[in-house]
Amino acid sequence: MKDTKRADMNRSEKFIVWCDKAMAFSIYALIYFLPISIALSEIFTALALVSYLFKRLAWFCTHVRGRAKEKTSLAFMDNDFIFFLRSFKPVENCLNWPILILLSFSLISVFVSRHPMLSIEGFLGKVLQSAFLYFNFIECINSKKRLRKFLIVFLVSATLISINGLYQHFTGKDFIYGHLVSNGRISSSFRAHNDFAAYLIVVVPIFLSLSVFNTVNGIKRLSGDYSGKYISPQFFSGKWRVSIFIVFVLSLICLGLTFSRGAWIAFAFIMLIFSMQKKRHIVISGLILILFFSFFYPQLKETRRVGLIKDSVSEKVDIEQAPDVNGGKIVIFEKFKEMLGIIGAFDGSGRSRYWMEAINMIRDYPVFGVGLNTYSVVGRGYKITWGGYPHNCYLQMAVETGILGLLSFLWLLGVLFYKSFRDLRFMKDQSLAILLLGSLIGLGGFLVHSFFDTNFYSVQLGSLMWLMMGLIVAVQKIDRSAAISEPA
């Protein structure tokens, strides 16, 4: 009898280990195929989630079989029910509560939505799926070995996509899908130039950090005893650094050839943050920034015939004559205009008009929004210009989930950046600290670019954002666990 129970336990444990490996494999496959295929990205996201659910269910079943058969009281059943709920509880981390609050406001927006079915689809297929992807990442990427595998796959994928972008530039079409160069701008395997730029704005600072800003003293320290800090050799071999530097250069060139002004502004922000880390970083960051804009800015004016923040020719719209959904005239929130003072200056591709549409939708639905995933439908009655989205993720989030929904997301980001930058100074393994710095700056650049585009609402880029959040938290958890098991 005991042998039978032991055999059952061994099978359960093996199944749990198999599910955990399947989760990790899905994450590796996802980061590889994310810039290549939306369908494959969705498939591996689903596989990761299914593996996660089976793993947690196996934990619960193992617990139930291990209990004595004679215990059948109501109290016992209650305990099992509580354990069932706890079996699916995410790994403890700093974002559990912020994510729960964000999910709560997103769910409220579903209930008040003007198009409930669209909102339900958006909640289950986008918001909830993204949160599970984040929890999946921090649970399965839990060791330096797995983290290194993730980085290698990420490096290989970024190399392929960058080479594909350069091939597209020189031959006129990419070798993966045959996408043509449009107006002198490359998109590689992505559908749009700005999507490719958003991907690169994450890649560039991570690989810059790992290849250039990678010395033990490369991170400014505030206080404490740092004599015990070390660098993991598996992350900083000579070949590893050279390979990463090559990909950084290729990615940077591709970023320039997208001629995405929002991404270029985000890149300038990235280099500013790098320069703040240490005095000598000012020289390196400044040199990279000067070389980048000296080479690509003249091409921007020649290729697109625009400036960095202003179109050469911009159509003006008589806002006072544009009708709103109530049949009256659009009244722009003056306070919103003050908060978004950049509206007056940044008129690239008519974005100021998109933003005005969104502001007027927020005026009519300020607290809980029009409903998740309904912007393009509800926004038809507010049209000032063509286009289904405001090209500003924060305004779109405020429209769909209300100001409270937007604030909950900003709180999540605030918690992530505050805790991560605070803990960055005290990490034991400096190779992980350097990776964390690059990931934080990369995510920051992505968020800046999202002020000018629809990154959050892209299947590929939305997943990339949550994977980067998972990477940031996972790196810190790995460092804490390694500090216990490895010598200081």
Side-chain angles (χ1 to χ4, degrees):
M1 186 67 177
K2 291 182 178 180
D3 292 338
T4 302
K5 289 183 177 179
R6 189 178 297 109
D8 289 340
M9 291 295 290
N10 288 336
R11 282 195 293 269
S12 297
E13 291 172 358
K14 288 180 180 179
F15 181 73
I16 291 172
V17 171
W18 183 88
C19 288
D20 188 68
K21 290 181 178 180
M23 290 165 58
F25 171 79
S26 300
I27 294 296
Y28 303 149
L30 175 58
I31 196 63
Y32 180 83
F33 287 110
L34 187 145
I36 299 174
S37 170
I38 295 176
L40 289 174
S41 297
E42 292 277 38
I43 288 172
F44 285 110
T45 298
L47 179 60
L49 301 184
V50 170
S51 302
Y52 176 89
L53 294 175
F54 274 125
K55 176 183 176 181
R56 295 310 188 96
L57 185 61
W59 277 353
F60 172 73
C61 292
T62 301
H63 166 79
V64 171
R65 285 198 299 267
R67 302 294 293 267
K69 291 184 178 181
E70 62 272 13
K71 293 183 179 180
T72 58
S73 65
L74 182 60
F76 171 71
M77 294 174 64
D78 287 343
N79 290 336
D80 272 0
F81 178 72
I82 293 173
F83 185 81
F84 177 79
L85 296 179
R86 290 178 177 174
S87 295
F88 294 89
K89 181 182 178 181
V91 174
E92 190 65 32
N93 69 96
C94 64
L95 296 187
N96 277 0
W97 278 106
I99 289 177
L100 178 61
I101 299 299
L102 175 63
L103 291 176
S104 299
F105 282 116
S106 298
L107 188 59
I108 291 173
S109 76
V110 173
F111 288 117
V112 302
S113 174
R114 299 183 62 188
H115 300 275
M117 293 308 298
L118 285 177
S119 294
I120 292 172
E121 179 183 342
F123 181 77
L124 296 177
K126 295 180 181 179
V127 180
L128 198 60
Q129 177 178 289
S130 297
F132 267 109
L133 184 61
Y134 163 80
F135 291 127
N136 217 306
F137 190 102
I138 63 174
E139 181 166 323
C140 67
I141 307 300
N142 53 13
S143 66
K144 289 183 179 180
K145 182 178 180 180
R146 287 189 173 180
L147 179 61
R148 188 169 186 269
K149 287 181 179 179
F150 174 82
L151 290 175
I152 290 174
V153 175
F154 192 15
L155 179 70
V156 172
S157 180
T159 303
L160 173 65
I161 301 308
S162 298
I163 292 175
N164 185 47
L166 293 175
Y167 182 87
Q168 183 185 36
H169 173 70
F170 288 110
T171 67
K173 64 179 182 179
D174 80 294
F175 59 73
I176 295 179
Y177 290 114
H179 292 165
L180 300 176
V181 173
S182 176
N183 298 322
R185 306 173 66 187
I186 65 172
S187 60
S188 189
S189 57
F190 286 88
R191 294 180 176 179
H193 329 92
N194 289 336
D195 290 351
F196 185 31
Y199 174 80
L200 293 172
I201 214 67
V202 173
V203 168
V204 165
I206 292 177
F207 294 150
L208 171 62
S209 182
L210 290 175
S211 61
V212 178
F213 302 129
N214 61 354
T215 60
V216 177
N217 297 318
I219 297 176
K220 183 171 63 178
R221 296 164 178 171
L222 299 180
S223 61
D225 179 12
Y226 295 91
S227 59
K229 291 182 179 290
Y230 62 93
I231 284 186
S232 296
Q234 65 265 36
F235 285 104
F236 282 93
S237 66
K239 293 181 180 179
W240 174 251
R241 289 172 55 187
V242 170
S243 299
I244 295 175
F245 180 75
I246 292 173
V247 179
F248 158 68
V249 173
L250 294 177
S251 302
L252 188 61
I253 294 173
C254 287
L255 178 62
L257 293 175
T258 62
F259 297 110
S260 172
R261 291 176 289 175
W264 286 12
I265 291 172
F267 176 66
F269 167 82
I270 284 170
M271 300 316 298
L272 174 64
I273 300 301
F274 269 124
S275 68
M276 295 170 60
Q277 299 305 309
K278 198 173 180 64
K279 288 183 178 179
R280 65 179 177 181
H281 289 180
I282 297 176
V283 177
I284 298 175
S285 301
L287 181 61
I288 293 174
L289 204 57
I290 291 171
L291 290 174
F292 180 87
F293 280 99
S294 296
F295 185 78
F296 288 110
Y297 186 66
Q299 295 186 51
L300 173 70
K301 293 193 293 185
E302 180 181 348
T303 302
R304 297 189 60 188
R305 300 186 183 281
V306 295
L308 185 60
I309 63 173
K310 192 80 172 176
D311 288 345
S312 297
V313 179
S314 59
E315 299 176 4
K316 293 189 177 181
V317 178
D318 187 358
I319 302 299
E320 292 298 324
Q321 299 301 317
D324 66 7
V325 292
N326 297 316
K329 295 181 178 180
I330 292 181
V331 180
I332 299 176
F333 284 145
E334 292 301 325
K335 290 185 178 180
F336 273 104
K337 285 188 67 178
E338 292 174 5
M339 292 172 60
L340 298 172
I342 194 173
I343 285 180
F346 193 98
D347 195 30
S349 302
R351 274 167 172 72
S352 61
R353 289 166 287 177
Y354 298 144
W355 298 348
M356 289 173 188
E357 291 175 3
I359 289 172
N360 283 280
M361 293 173 72
I362 296 170
R363 175 204 62 186
D364 292 340
Y365 305 91
V367 182
F368 297 117
V370 300
L372 197 65
N373 200 36
T374 64
Y375 186 98
S376 59
V377 179
V378 178
R380 292 170 185 166
Y382 291 82
K383 284 290 107 181
I384 296 174
T385 184
W386 70 276
Y389 297 99
H391 292 273
N392 183 310
C393 291
Y394 306 98
L395 287 178
Q396 183 168 342
M397 185 175 291
V399 169
E400 293 190 345
T401 63
I403 294 174
L404 293 179
L406 174 61
L407 290 176
S408 67
F409 179 72
L410 295 178
W411 178 45
L412 184 155
L413 294 177
V415 170
L416 177 67
F417 280 100
Y418 172 76
K419 290 185 176 295
S420 298
F421 273 109
R422 182 193 63 185
D423 295 346
L424 178 65
R425 319 301 181 186
F426 304 99
M427 293 181 69
K428 286 290 183 180
D429 188 336
Q430 286 297 283
S431 62
L432 295 179
I434 291 164
L435 173 59
L436 176 59
L437 177 64
S439 302
L440 284 167
I441 296 177
L443 179 60
F446 180 88
L447 295 171
V448 170
H449 185 230
S450 298
F451 194 87
F452 306 104
D453 226 300
T454 59
N455 298 344
F456 297 173
Y457 301 95
S458 160
V459 172
Q460 294 160 290
L461 299 178
S463 296
L464 179 64
M465 179 180 70
W466 285 93
L467 284 174
M468 288 303 104
M469 290 185 192
L471 176 63
I472 288 168
V473 174
V475 166
Q476 297 173 73
K477 292 174 71 68
I478 292 171
D479 182 74
R480 286 194 292 269
S481 63
I484 297 174
S485 58
E486 297 182 13

